[in-house]
């Protein structure tokens, strides 16, 4: 079964509508419900996608895209449920459900770790309150500074006036002192407000979800670090602030580059820098972080009469997972490229929405350079048209039809083989054929699939595929087909010869049987003319032997292979014919013969042996014309076959002691000679018993019929 049949029409499966007994009400209830659910599923991700696109400030935009993919996959499963009502496309439905399961697991797995981060983000209301408080603080600081400047001006003026008019302006001095006291009170209030603002900043610093640090850029010592930064590096906060230096937390290879950025800040060449670099965890392992740093200078700022040093403020975001994901993606792309190169695959891609194509270097080499490698080119341009001319004329229609199925979305997967002209510098094209430019033709296996569709129209927008040179396999298959045709011809000739042989053998057996029947008839006619009883019995014995030979050929003529047959029905018919032709009505037969497959060389002596034994019993055992002849044949547990021919008559007298030494105790005469010769020919032994009749027990080897039909044990006979 091909992959397409497995996906769209697996053998032996029925549409889902068959389970609903094709009741219109149930069919349309399921189809309508799945259609409404599917359309609703398609509408929800469109709204989410529009929302994510409009909100560029969202922190975790990929979550929205993941939900869009998951809900679209859910909607597609309901649409495929409608399809399986009339078409058993359970393979496609299963693959879509697998994709839905993977997307759902990925969404659930990535959503739970994200919940604490999202909860830690400040709400818009909190940010608005914080901004309002900061605005009020700034305004109060500006107002306080203005008052201070005004107060200082007034103090200076009052002091000048006081020096000139100490004696005369005592009252004015008191008024100026009162004003100064009032200004100092306002300044104290401003400092108190500044302390509150600093407390709010400290709370924001400590509760931030990303790492925040304060560093003395002159010494590199960490002055402050929040919990997020300590967790990122696996430290306790107490082990960082005042104890660790900023360069010691950086990975060795990244210290130089970060030092250059800090030097630019100190030199005033930049006001801020953003850089991704590696930090060293406490356990010695690296972790990637994105650093956004700025410098707060202490010039003009004094505290208790001393100038404050510059301060480096840095925000550190943990991007280790993102970097590892990007690294894994690059490694996956590298493995894919190496696998394609190792398998000698050519990779191509179609952007159906823009009408562009892309091929790798191997595919470009196959096209003889007509298509540019690793760059997008228009499908309506001269390069693509030139590539189409490289395809064998007999294969162009089939390839074009396959691409149309892909471009229209009628088939998700297209696979075909076609021939293309061998490149002129291909060493395999030295024996090119006529009419192909002298380069010969190579066979390409083309496999392509749709990888993206428009979410609204569901039209295919992107397709990708591979090309592989299967010329050796195609040539081997052609040679195999030729060899198969030759073999079928030989088999047909041998079959015809075997049929002719079978026909000739059947004709030979038929003619031998007919000739023996003629002899049997002549012997019978001759026997009717004889007056002497002994002569007539001798002639009837001869007739029985001739009949046995004819019966063997009749059995062979009726056997399927003309070489072997079951001896049981043969012996049964033979014994009954002998009894019918030479016994009185009072003599009966008791036959019990096991099935045994034999061939001509075994059947003839065995048939003659049975004929002699039964004939002798009829001649000598029943003087009054009444009795029973028993014939039994069975397989022995120790191996071989036991044949017993016995009668309950008294016509054969017991032999003399001298006679018992001959042939196991059988009397002398022609019959005795024939029996001994036949037993010897069958490589058997015979024992005679004379207790309440005559009993002949003959042990024969089991005839092992070989390929040619000859019993293995009797080949030397």
């Amino acid at each position: 079964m091909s992959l397409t049949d497995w996906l769209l029409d697996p053998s032996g499966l029925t549409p889902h509508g068959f389970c609903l007994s094709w009741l219109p009400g149930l069919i349309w209830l399921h189809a309508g419900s799945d259609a409404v659910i599917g359309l609703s599923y398609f509408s929800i991700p469109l709204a989410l996608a529009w929302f994510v696109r409009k909100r560029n400030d969202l922190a975790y935009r990929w979550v929205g895209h993941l939900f869009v993919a998951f809900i679209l996959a859910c909607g597609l499963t309901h649409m495929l449920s409608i399809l399986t009502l009339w078409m058993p496309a359970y393979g496609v439905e299963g693959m879509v459900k697998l994709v839905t399961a993977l997307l759902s697991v990925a969404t659930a797995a990535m959503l739970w770790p994200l919940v604490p981060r999202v909860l830690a983000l400040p709400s818009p209301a909190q940010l608005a309150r914080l901004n309002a408080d900061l605005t009020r603080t700034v305004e109060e600081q500006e107002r306080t500074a203005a008052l201070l400047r005004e107060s200082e001006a007034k103090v200076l003026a009052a002091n000048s006036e006081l020096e000139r008019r100490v004696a005369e302006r005592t009252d004015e001095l008191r008024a100026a002192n009162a004003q100064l006291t009032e200004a100092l009170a306002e300044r104290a209030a401003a400092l108190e407000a500044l302390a509150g603002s600093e407390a709010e900043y400290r709370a924001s610093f400590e509760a931030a979800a990303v790492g925040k640090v304060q560093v003395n850029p002159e010494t590199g010592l960490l002055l402050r670090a929040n919990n997020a930064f300590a967790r990122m590096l696996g430290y306790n906060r107490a082990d960082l602030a005042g104890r660790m230096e900023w360069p010691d937390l950086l990975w060795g290879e990244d210290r130089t580059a970060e030092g250059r950025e800090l030097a630019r800040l100190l030199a005033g060449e930049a006001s801020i820098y953003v850089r991704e670099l590696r930090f060293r965890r406490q356990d010695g392992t690296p972790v990637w972080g994105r650093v956004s740093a700025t410098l707060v200078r202490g010039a003009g700022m004094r505290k208790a009469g001393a100038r404050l040093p510059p301060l480096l403020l840095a925000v550190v975001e943990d991007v280790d997972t993102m970097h590892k994901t990007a690294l894994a993606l690059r490694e996956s792309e590298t493995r894919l490229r190496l696998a394609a190169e190792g398998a000698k695959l050519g990779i191509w891609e179609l952007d159906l929405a823009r009408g562009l194509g892309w091929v790798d270097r191997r595919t470009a080499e196959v096209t003889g350079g007509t298509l540019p490698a690793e760059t997008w080119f228009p499908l309506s341009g001269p390069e693509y048209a030139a590539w189409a001319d490289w395809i064998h004329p007999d294969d162009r229609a089939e390839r074009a039809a396959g691409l149309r199925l892909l471009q229209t979305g009628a088939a998700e997967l297209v696979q075909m083989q076609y021939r293309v002209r061998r490149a002129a510098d291909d060493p395999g094209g030295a024996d090119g054929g006529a009419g192909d430019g002298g380069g010969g033709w190579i066979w390409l296996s083309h496999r392509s699939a749709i990888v993206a569709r428009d979410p609204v129209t569901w039209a295919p927008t992107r397709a990708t595929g591979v090309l592989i040179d299967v010329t050796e396999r195609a040539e081997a298959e052609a040679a195999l087909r030729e060899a198969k045709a030759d073999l079928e011809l030989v088999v047909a000739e041998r079959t015809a010869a075997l049929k002719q042989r079978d026909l000739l053998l059947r004709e030979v057996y038929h003619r031998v049987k007919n000739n023996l029947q003629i002899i049997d008839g002549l012997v019978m006619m001759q026997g009717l003319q004889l007056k002497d009883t002994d002569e007539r019995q001798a002639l009837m014995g001869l007739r029985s032997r001739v009949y046995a030979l004819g019966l063997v050929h009749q059995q062979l003529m009726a056997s399927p292979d003309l070489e072997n047959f079951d001896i049981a029905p043969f012996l049964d018919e033979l014994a009954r014919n002998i009894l019918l032709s030479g016994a009185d009505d009072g003599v009966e037969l008791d036959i019990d013969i096991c099935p045994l497959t034999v061939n001509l060389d075994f059947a003839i002596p065995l048939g003659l042996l049975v004929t002699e034994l039964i004939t002798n019993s009829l001649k000598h055992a029943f003087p009054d014309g009444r009795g029973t002849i028993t014939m039994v044949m069975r397989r022995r547990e120790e191996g071989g076959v036991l044949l017993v021919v016995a009668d309950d008559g008294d016509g054969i007298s017991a032999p003399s002691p001298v006679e018992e030494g001959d042939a196991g105790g059988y009397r002398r005469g022609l019959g005795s000679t024939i029996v001994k010769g036949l037993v010897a020919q069958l490589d058997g032994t015979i024992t005679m018993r004379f207790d309440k009749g005559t009993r002949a027990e003959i042990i024969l080897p089991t005839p092992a019929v070989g390929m040619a039909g000859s019993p293995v044990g009797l080949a030397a006979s």
Side-chain angles (χ1 to χ4, degrees):
M1 179 185 296
S2 66
L3 179 59
T4 303
D5 291 339
W6 182 85
L7 289 173
L8 300 177
D9 189 13
S11 175
L13 298 182
T14 59
H16 193 198
F18 182 82
C19 300
L20 303 178
S21 300
W22 298 109
L23 294 177
L26 286 177
I27 293 294
W28 290 113
L29 174 61
H30 282 267
S33 300
D34 283 324
V36 171
I37 295 172
L39 292 175
S40 299
Y41 271 128
F42 290 157
S43 175
I44 293 171
L46 290 177
L48 286 175
W50 180 83
F51 175 76
V52 172
R53 181 178 180 184
K54 292 298 184 180
R55 285 296 303 272
N56 294 326
D57 58 336
L58 292 178
Y60 302 100
R61 296 171 58 84
W62 56 269
V63 176
H65 295 302
L66 193 57
F67 271 103
V68 167
F70 167 58
I71 298 173
L72 281 176
C74 291
L76 183 57
T77 60
H78 284 278
M79 290 304 178
L80 286 176
S81 295
I82 300 175
L83 176 63
T84 55
L85 287 173
W86 291 278
M87 179 179 178
Y90 298 119
V92 175
E93 185 182 23
M95 295 300 293
V96 173
K97 286 185 178 181
L98 175 61
V99 173
T100 306
L102 294 177
L103 289 173
S104 63
V105 170
T107 304
M110 300 182 72
L111 187 59
W112 281 106
L114 188 64
V115 170
R117 299 183 183 181
V118 175
L119 292 176
L121 293 176
S123 65
Q126 292 174 334
L127 292 176
R129 287 196 301 271
L130 182 61
N131 289 332
D133 293 341
L134 290 175
T135 301
R136 286 195 301 272
T137 301
V138 171
E139 291 176 354
E140 291 175 358
Q141 289 178 348
E142 291 178 352
R143 185 167 57 254
T144 302
L147 291 174
L148 287 175
R149 288 193 296 272
E150 182 180 355
S151 177
E152 288 177 355
K154 290 180 180 180
V155 168
L156 290 175
N159 288 335
S160 299
E161 192 70 21
L162 183 60
E163 289 176 358
R164 293 191 299 268
R165 301 176 60 186
V166 172
E168 309 86 54
R169 309 276 307 267
T170 302
D171 294 337
E172 294 180 3
L173 181 58
R174 292 193 183 95
N177 287 334
Q179 292 178 356
L180 180 60
T181 302
E182 182 180 357
L184 290 174
E186 292 179 354
R187 182 176 181 181
L191 291 175
E192 184 178 356
L194 182 62
S197 176
E198 183 179 356
E200 292 178 357
Y201 169 76
R202 184 182 299 108
S204 173
F205 182 90
E206 300 296 340
V210 295
K212 289 187 176 182
V213 292
Q214 295 179 357
V215 181
N216 185 339
E218 296 177 348
T219 63
L221 185 67
L222 264 69
L223 303 178
R224 293 175 67 184
N226 67 351
N227 290 325
F229 184 74
R231 285 194 304 269
M232 174 180 168
L233 300 186
Y235 284 94
N236 294 322
R237 289 184 58 191
D239 298 333
L240 294 176
R243 297 185 179 184
M244 300 291 293
E245 294 185 0
W246 177 257
D248 295 336
L249 298 177
L250 301 178
W251 197 254
E253 290 85 351
D254 295 344
R255 292 176 185 172
T256 303
E258 199 278 339
R260 288 196 297 265
E261 296 291 344
L262 183 59
R264 293 180 68 244
L265 283 181
L266 293 174
E269 298 177 2
S271 60
I272 189 173
Y273 81 84
V274 178
R275 182 179 181 82
E276 291 185 359
L277 46 84
R278 288 168 292 180
F279 291 85
R280 183 185 298 277
R281 287 194 179 99
Q282 188 178 22
D283 58 6
T285 59
V287 57
W288 280 92
R290 181 184 288 113
V291 179
S292 302
T294 186
L295 191 66
V296 179
R297 299 184 181 275
M301 299 177 60
R302 293 180 178 275
K303 185 175 182 180
R307 185 182 300 274
L308 295 176
L311 183 65
L312 179 68
L313 302 179
V315 177
V316 183
E317 182 182 357
D318 187 349
V319 294
D320 191 62
T321 302
M322 182 182 69
H323 264 270
K324 289 179 178 179
T325 303
L327 179 62
L329 180 60
R330 287 194 296 270
E331 291 178 352
S332 177
E333 292 175 350
T334 302
R335 286 195 296 269
L336 178 61
R337 185 178 66 256
L338 293 177
E341 292 176 356
K344 298 182 178 180
L345 293 176
I347 302 175
W348 59 269
E349 189 172 355
L350 295 181
D351 188 339
L352 301 175
R354 297 187 299 164
L356 299 177
W358 182 94
V359 298
D360 65 349
R361 296 187 181 278
R362 185 176 296 278
T363 305
E365 292 173 0
V366 171
T367 66
T370 58
L371 295 179
E374 299 182 355
T375 183
W376 292 94
F377 55 86
L379 298 178
S380 58
E383 300 96 340
Y384 194 74
W387 154 238
D389 291 338
W390 274 62
I391 300 172
H392 196 285
D394 296 341
D395 299 338
R396 292 175 185 174
E398 179 182 357
R399 174 184 172 276
L403 288 181
R404 279 195 299 272
L405 291 176
L406 200 68
Q407 292 170 343
T408 59
E412 291 289 334
L413 181 67
V414 175
Q415 186 170 359
M416 52 189 167
Q417 286 190 181
Y418 52 84
R419 290 161 291 179
V420 299
R421 185 180 300 113
R422 192 187 301 271
D425 57 350
D426 192 334
D431 57 345
D436 58 6
W441 300 97
I442 62 174
W443 280 92
L444 294 182
S445 177
H446 173 119
R447 185 179 178 91
S448 54
I450 296 173
V451 296
R453 288 180 177 269
D454 187 277
V456 179
T457 63
W458 203 238
T461 58
R462 207 171 191 88
T464 187
V466 295
L467 292 175
I468 184 170
D469 187 343
V470 294
T471 304
E472 294 182 359
R473 187 181 71 185
E475 293 175 350
E477 289 176 352
L480 182 60
R481 285 193 296 271
E482 292 179 1
K484 181 180 178 182
D486 295 340
L487 181 60
E488 289 176 350
L489 180 60
V490 173
V491 170
E493 293 175 353
R494 292 292 300 273
T495 303
L498 288 175
K499 288 182 178 179
Q500 184 68 21
R501 167 188 169 275
D502 291 348
L503 181 61
L504 291 175
L505 280 176
R506 291 186 190 276
E507 181 64 21
V508 169
Y509 292 151
H510 179 69
R511 291 183 179 275
V512 171
K513 179 181 73 73
N514 288 344
N515 292 335
L516 291 174
Q517 286 179 345
I518 293 173
I519 296 173
D520 180 68
L522 294 174
V523 171
M524 180 178 289
M525 292 173 61
Q526 184 66 35
L528 294 176
Q529 295 178 2
L530 293 175
K531 304 299 183 180
D532 185 85
T533 303
D534 293 336
E535 292 179 354
R536 184 184 297 111
Q537 288 181 349
L539 199 56
M540 288 302 102
L542 176 61
R543 177 179 176 270
S544 298
R545 299 184 186 103
V546 172
Y547 179 80
L549 295 175
L551 187 58
V552 169
H553 287 82
Q554 180 179 346
Q555 294 289 333
L556 285 173
M557 185 178 65
S559 68
D561 60 0
L562 299 175
E563 294 183 356
N564 308 293
F565 64 92
D566 186 4
I567 196 71
F570 162 75
L571 294 179
D572 184 273
E573 183 177 351
L574 176 63
R576 297 186 187 281
N577 181 75
I578 296 172
L579 188 66
L580 184 63
S581 62
D584 297 331
D585 294 337
V587 180
E588 297 180 353
L589 278 175
D590 183 7
I591 300 176
D592 182 13
I593 302 176
C594 68
L596 182 67
T597 301
V598 300
N599 69 346
L600 180 65
D601 295 335
F602 191 89
I604 289 177
L606 184 60
L608 293 176
L609 178 61
V610 170
T611 300
E612 291 299 325
L613 294 174
I614 295 177
T615 301
N616 284 333
S617 294
L618 291 176
K619 288 169 58 177
H620 305 290
F622 310 112
D624 57 353
R626 293 184 178 276
T628 301
I629 298 177
T630 302
M631 182 168 60
V632 177
M633 186 174 72
R634 60 180 175 81
R635 297 179 184 271
R636 303 170 70 235
E637 294 182 358
E638 58 271 26
V641 178
L642 173 63
L643 174 65
V644 178
V645 180
D647 61 65
D648 57 358
D650 54 1
I652 303 178
S653 60
S656 64
V658 178
E659 291 174 338
E660 289 188 7
D662 297 330
Y666 200 69
R667 68 164 56 197
R668 297 182 181 274
L670 179 59
S672 173
T673 303
I674 293 175
V675 168
K676 290 190 292 183
L678 292 174
V679 171
Q681 184 177 351
L682 292 171
D683 199 17
T685 60
I686 182 171
T687 302
M688 299 298 299
R689 301 181 185 276
F690 302 96
D691 184 12
K692 296 181 182 181
T694 303
R695 179 183 179 89
E697 295 182 358
I698 304 168
I699 299 177
L700 302 173
T702 302
V705 181
M707 294 300 295
S710 299
V712 176
L714 302 176
S717 300

